[in-house]
Amino acid sequence: MQTGINRAWVMASRPDGEPTAENFAIDESPIPEPEHGDVLVRTLFMSLDPYMRGRMRSGPSYATPLQPGDVMTGEVVARVEQSRSPMFRVGDTVRSNIGWQEWAAVPAHTVKLVDPELAPISTAVGVLGMPGLTAYFGLLEVCQPRAGDTLVVSAASGAVGGVVGQIGSINGCFVIGIAGSDEKCSYVVNELGFNAAINYKTQNVSEELARLSPAGVDAYFDNVGGTILDAVMDNLADSARIAICGQISQYNAVEVPQGPRNIGSLLRTRSTARGFLVYDFERRHEIGRARLAAWIKEGRLKYREDIVDGFENAPEEFIGLLRGKNFGKLLIKVSD
Ligand code: NAP
Ligand code: FER
C-alpha cells in the first residue's frame, strides 16, 4: 500500500479568453488503492498540449468538454508503482491518459507500455507520441508531399511543426518554416535543416513566401490558422494541399473570428484544404511510431524538448504555450 497525498490540477472555472491562474486549482486526495486488474502509476513527465484549451471550452468537439472541478485532461509518462494485473510489473514505464495529476489507479488495459530502448522515455508523449504521429500522418496522408514540392509549416519549431519539416526534407521537399522569433527561425534552419524560415512577428509572411517560392506553395501544414493561413493562401501553387491540423491563433478567441479572406484562391488553384485528427490514423500509429524511432536512431530526425520542473508550474506553462513561450515539446517534470 502506498500512503501519501496525490495532487491533481482541476479546471476551477472555464476561461473567458486567455486562461488565467484563477481557472486552475489543486485538489488533494489520498493516493488511491489499485483494485483487481488495476495498476497504480506515478507521473514522471506530464505533457502540455494546445488541444487542452479546447477541452476547457463548452461547445461542439470530438471530445467531451471538462466541467468545473474535473481534472485537467492530458497524457503522462509514468512508472508502475503497484500492479494488480499480469499485464504490467512494478517499475515498468508506461503512458496513460490520467490528466494533470501525480498518481492514479487505472485499469491496466488503458495503459500503454513505453519501450525505454527506443529513445528517452519523455519522447513517448512527444516526438514518438501524439504530436509526432500528428506530424507523420498529417503530412504524409493529408499534404501528400512529393520531391521538389515547396512545403510550408507554421508553429515550425514546436512539437508537431519541427517533425513536419524534417519529414518534408526526408521526402525531398523545399521546406519553409514560419515561427514567432528569430531564435526559433534559426533553430529550424540550422538545427533541423529546413531550407528557410519566416518570423511572422517581424516579417511580411505573404511577401516572404512569394520571394522564397515564386512558383507557389504546394503543401501547407497549418498549425495556427488566422492571418498566417491567409498569407499562405495568397501564394498557393496549382493543386496545393492544405492540412488543417490546428488553429492555435484562435484557441483563446471569445468570438469566432472572421474566416480566411481568400477562399477564392482554392478555387483558382484547384487546391484542397482538409482537416484531420491524429486519431483518424490510430490503426497505423505503431507503424508511424516505428518509422519515427528509426529516423531518430539514424540521426535524420531531431527533436527539442522544453522541460519545466515542478507539478505546480503546469498552469503557468500551459498559459505560456498558448502565447508561444515554449521552444519545442513542452513537458512538466513531475518526479524522478
Ligand atoms: P507547439 O507548436 O509546440 O506550441 C504551440 C506554438 O504555437 C507556440 O510555441 C507558438 O509558437 C505558436 N503560436 C501560439 N500562438 C500563436 C499565434 N497567435 N499565431 C501563430 N503561432 C502561434 O504545439 P504543438 O503541440 O506542436 O501543436 C501545434 C498545433 O497542432 C496546435 O494548433 C495543435 O492544436 C495542433 N495539433 C493538432 C492535432 C490534431 O490531431 N489535429 C494533434 C496535435 C496537435 P511561435 O512562437 O512560433 O508563435
Ligand atoms: C488539437 C486541436 C484540436 C487536437 C484536437 C483538436 C488532438 C480537436 C478539436 C475539436 O474536435 O473541436 O491539437 O489534438
Side-chain angles (χ1 to χ4, degrees), residues 48-51 130-131 134 154-161 178-181 184 200-201 221-225 228 244-251 276-279 320-330:
L48 295 184
D49 299 87
Y51 77 86
M130 190 277 283
T134 301
S154 47
S157 71
V160 175
I178 302 175
S181 73
K184 288 179 176 180
Y200 72 90
K201 291 193 177 156
F221 193 105
D222 183 22
N223 282 320
V224 305
I228 295 177
I244 306 291
C245 173
Q247 301 278 288
I248 196 167
S249 71
Q250 305 181 358
Y251 291 176
F276 76 97
L277 283 176
V278 60
Y279 310 111
L321 173 77
L322 298 168
R323 286 185 190 162
K325 178 181 167 197
N326 66 305
F327 192 167
K329 172 67 198 128
L330 179 59

Side-chain angles (χ1 to χ4, degrees), residues 257-277:
Q258 186 66 45
R261 61 163 168 70
N262 194 7
I263 281 283
S265 66
L266 294 179
L267 187 160
R268 200 170 51 252
T269 60
R270 288 78 160 171
S271 294
T272 310
R274 178 183 150 197
F276 76 97
L277 283 176

Side-chain angles (χ1 to χ4, degrees), residues 107-142:
H109 68 87
T110 67
V111 162
K112 300 279 183 289
L113 194 63
V114 168
D115 179 0
E117 301 292 319
L118 227 44
I121 57 170
S122 54
T123 62
V125 290
V127 62
L128 293 183
M130 190 277 283
L133 295 167
T134 301
Y136 181 91
F137 289 104
L139 180 67
L140 296 178
E141 299 291 329
V142 184

